[in-house]
Amino acid sequence: MRIAILGCGYVGLVSGACLAEIGHSVVCTDNDESKILTLNQGGLPIYEPHLKEIVARNVDAQRLRFTADLGEAVRYGDAVFICVGTPPLQDGDADLSAIDSAARLIARESRSSKLVIEKSTVPMQTGQKLVRALAIYARNSDSSFSVASNPEFLREGTAVLDFLHPDRIVIGVGNEPAETQLREIYRPILEQNVACPIHQQNCPPKEAPKLLVTSINSAELIKHACNSFLAVKISYANLIADICENMDADVEEVMQAMGLDPRIGPSFLRPGLGFGGFCLPKDIQAFIRLGEKAGVDVSLLRDAELINKRRIDHFLAKAVNSLWTLKAKCIGVLGLAFKPHTDDIRFAPAMELIGRLLQEHVRVKVYDPQGMEKTKALFPSIHYCADPYELADGAEALMIVTEWDCFRQLDWLRIKSLMQRPLIIDGRNLLPSDEMRAMGFEYQGVGIPTAEAWDMKSRAAS
Ligand code: UGA
């Protein structure tokens, strides 16, 4: 099928490349011409594992191309996916102006019938507004539109795998032809006829993805309901971690036991610096606003958001407790991206942390395998290190903010010898507390027993 993708951000690029990978002819466009230029020169405006190979392969096979001509892209697609940004406004509402522009563009440029699919995360009833806008701005008597909602459940860092091997595909439709067209678009994925991007072969399938056909309103709500639930789950884990810290219990043990209950499940129970990134924080805010407008009591969501906002205060309090005052201290921040395997720093806890450390006149050094370039635009004058050893050199504390796997493999004894004071404040429980303390680090994690309790335990054991 001929597919147009409006918006070359994370969602648009991954969706466009993967739809080409499963055999469709895809054109991607964006009103940021510099992105299109980068893509046409063989570059990628974002880092996402496996995306580079998939884009290159499909461009070579002439199933994927990029154009700055928005109208040409719209006219090309039988199906047009709207993948533009819906960033938060000051009051937490989603800014839908890019969706509105996309609707007007599609209406103005279309010369035939099109399936218009919202993929961006949008508040409920946006589909209805889209239908109206398309009808109002349509200019050509040969054009007609069906609207569908097809929320994405892509996680940054595993987005390609999530697209090609999803657990479920949700399609919110208002009529049968739209359903048929979407089933056709996703047929290779539903039939698991897709090579695994990692192994380039048909790996033993996990369960076949489920296709859920819903109303458009329900599809829009499903996305918000999922992201808000994940946010609540993380805040719950952080609440338990705070209780553990006060009681010298170990949150890792508690979460492990909770996760073994199949009704709860182990994922999204990792306590730490809280949820960041461009999705969970903005989606829970938008959902709160939506609920308030509907007159629903959303205090559960508000509390989850509040717990999340306090994570940095809590983390900094630990630093003050250990370092007495922060002013003029040299602190290394290990990890900038909002989570591993991405270069995305939007709403990353590290950004707020660095801002707060600078307010306290801390000498901040940072290192991240992927997130340094983007951070430089926000904090040009802090010290960017070539590797974690340069970061450790002379530091009076290391703060672990992103749980990159490669940090686990570091030569921690070497790091200890380089630091002015071997203090580690681990915001992600990345490192084994017992081993770090046995190595001589002053080690603080999240929701784990204090060094004093650990001392007592080791004395009792010996
Ligand atoms: C999230 C959802 O997981 C996707 O399903 C959804 O499609 C996407 O938003 C979206 O709306 O587009 P993503 O933002 O890539 O995906 O990141 P997550 O893996 O959900 O992590 C979000 C944040 O929660 C990160 O800061 C992570 O460090 C934090 N987190 C996650 C925890 O603090 N604890 C956990 O146990 C899990």
Side-chain angles (χ1 to χ4, degrees):
M1 194 176 300
R2 284 156 47 131
I3 290 177
I5 304 279
L6 305 188
C8 291
Y10 281 96
V11 174
L13 268 183
V14 171
S15 304
C18 290
L19 287 167
E21 178 80 358
I22 60 171
H24 300 294
S25 292
V26 181
V27 57
C28 299
T29 188
D30 198 293
N31 54 13
D32 180 347
E33 289 190 18
S34 68
K35 273 190 190 169
I36 301 296
L37 193 68
T38 305
L39 287 160
N40 279 331
Q41 288 169 346
L44 277 188
I46 55 163
Y47 166 77
E48 183 64 36
H50 309 297
L51 189 57
K52 210 172 170 58
E53 304 95 89
I54 291 196
V55 167
R57 184 164 53 243
N58 286 282
V59 167
D60 280 352
Q62 300 188 339
R63 283 191 300 262
L64 178 65
R65 65 190 172 89
F66 304 98
T67 176
D69 185 343
L70 298 157
E72 193 264 317
V74 168
R75 289 189 297 277
Y76 178 81
D78 298 318
V80 183
F81 280 85
I82 301 182
C83 303
V84 297
T86 52
L89 290 166
Q90 207 76 44
D91 62 4
D93 267 345
D95 179 354
L96 297 179
S97 54
I99 302 270
D100 177 57
S101 303
R104 280 182 290 154
L105 170 79
I106 297 167
R108 196 175 61 234
E109 297 292 344
S110 293
R111 310 278 184 269
S112 58
S113 65
K114 309 251 174 229
L115 175 62
V116 179
I117 305 153
E118 345 160 303
K119 217 173 209 342
S120 311
T121 302
V122 289
M124 271 177 74
Q125 300 183 334
T126 302
Q128 290 167 16
K129 291 179 186 134
L130 200 53
V131 170
R132 208 173 317 139
L134 289 167
I136 292 172
Y137 293 106
R139 288 287 164 270
N140 190 289
S141 55
D142 291 332
S143 63
S144 67
F145 305 101
S146 279
V147 168
S149 164
N150 170 220
E152 51 85 16
F153 301 105
L154 309 177
R155 292 161 299 172
E156 287 181 28
T158 54
V160 170
L161 271 174
D162 291 343
F163 194 99
L164 295 173
H165 301 280
D167 303 309
R168 79 286 206 205
I169 294 175
V170 173
I171 54 175
V173 288
N175 57 47
E176 236 181 84
E179 179 184 334
T180 310
Q181 231 173 323
L182 273 158
R183 278 183 187 274
E184 185 53 28
I185 289 174
Y186 285 112
R187 192 165 46 82
I189 293 177
L190 291 166
E191 291 174 359
Q192 295 191 300
N193 205 3
V194 187
C196 161
I198 298 176
H199 305 110
Q200 275 313 303
Q201 57 193 21
N202 279 8
C203 293
K206 56 176 203 176
E207 260 184 61
K210 305 246 178 328
L211 178 78
L212 280 107
V213 184
T214 70
S215 68
I216 297 178
N217 279 349
S218 296
E220 290 167 344
L221 182 59
I222 285 166
K223 176 60 194 275
H224 269 302
C226 287
N227 275 7
S228 293
F229 183 75
L230 295 174
V232 169
K233 215 174 165 191
I234 295 168
S235 283
Y236 188 78
N238 282 324
L239 179 152
I240 302 290
D242 289 353
I243 294 177
C244 286
E245 273 177 20
N246 282 293
M247 306 282 173
D248 274 334
D250 188 333
V251 74
E252 296 296 327
E253 293 171 352
V254 178
M255 289 304 136
Q256 191 190 1
M258 281 181 68
L260 286 171
D261 183 332
R263 293 167 304 174
I264 299 174
S267 58
F268 277 73
L269 285 180
R270 281 195 331 274
L273 285 162
F275 54 84
F278 202 58
C279 301
L280 263 46
K282 91 173 161 64
D283 288 356
I284 195 168
Q285 254 185 44
F287 204 36
I288 288 170
R289 293 283 296 153
L290 200 87
E292 282 169 348
K293 283 185 199 159
V296 174
D297 178 359
V298 287
S299 40
L300 171 70
L301 303 180
R302 252 195 245 111
D303 285 344
E305 196 192 22
L306 203 62
I307 289 174
N308 199 55
K309 283 191 172 146
R310 291 187 184 138
R311 295 317 289 164
I312 298 286
D313 296 336
H314 186 73
F315 188 70
L316 278 171
K318 284 184 190 171
V320 172
N321 199 26
S322 300
L323 289 164
W324 186 21
T325 61
L326 297 181
K327 192 170 178 183
K329 298 262 159 66
C330 175
I331 294 184
V333 175
L334 197 52
L336 298 169
F338 84 98
K339 65 173 189 177
H341 311 294
T342 175
D343 63 345
D344 197 349
I345 56 156
R346 292 175 298 174
F347 298 98
M351 300 304 116
E352 195 192 334
L353 179 67
I354 293 169
R356 299 275 296 273
L357 291 173
L358 291 175
Q359 274 171 15
E360 299 290 334
H361 306 284
V362 168
R363 287 185 292 135
V364 180
K365 300 166 85 175
V366 299
Y367 174 76
D368 187 280
Q370 293 291 342
M372 308 248 270
E373 279 316 305
K374 290 188 172 160
T375 308
K376 280 178 190 164
L378 282 183
F379 298 107
S381 56
I382 57 177
H383 185 86
Y384 291 85
C385 298
D387 57 43
Y389 303 104
E390 187 189 339
L391 185 84
D393 198 6
E396 288 161 273
L398 276 191
M399 293 179 162
I400 301 180
V401 181
T402 313
E403 66 276 34
W404 285 96
D405 266 338
C406 55
F407 295 163
R408 286 196 183 91
Q409 327 305 333
L410 295 172
D411 179 346
W412 284 99
L413 280 175
R414 181 174 163 208
I415 288 190
K416 183 167 160 265
S417 70
L418 289 166
M419 291 177 74
Q420 217 182 121
R421 175 177 170 180
L423 170 63
I424 293 183
I425 309 177
D426 185 348
R428 298 292 179 183
N429 287 353
L430 176 82
L431 303 170
S433 56
D434 287 6
E435 285 172 37
M436 299 313 286
R437 285 170 178 160
M439 262 186 241
F441 279 104
E442 295 171 60
Y443 176 87
Q444 299 184 25
V446 181
I448 59 165
T450 56
E452 292 73 35
W454 180 78
D455 268 348
M456 270 166 50
K457 195 177 103 185
S458 355
R459 269 202 300 275
S462 59

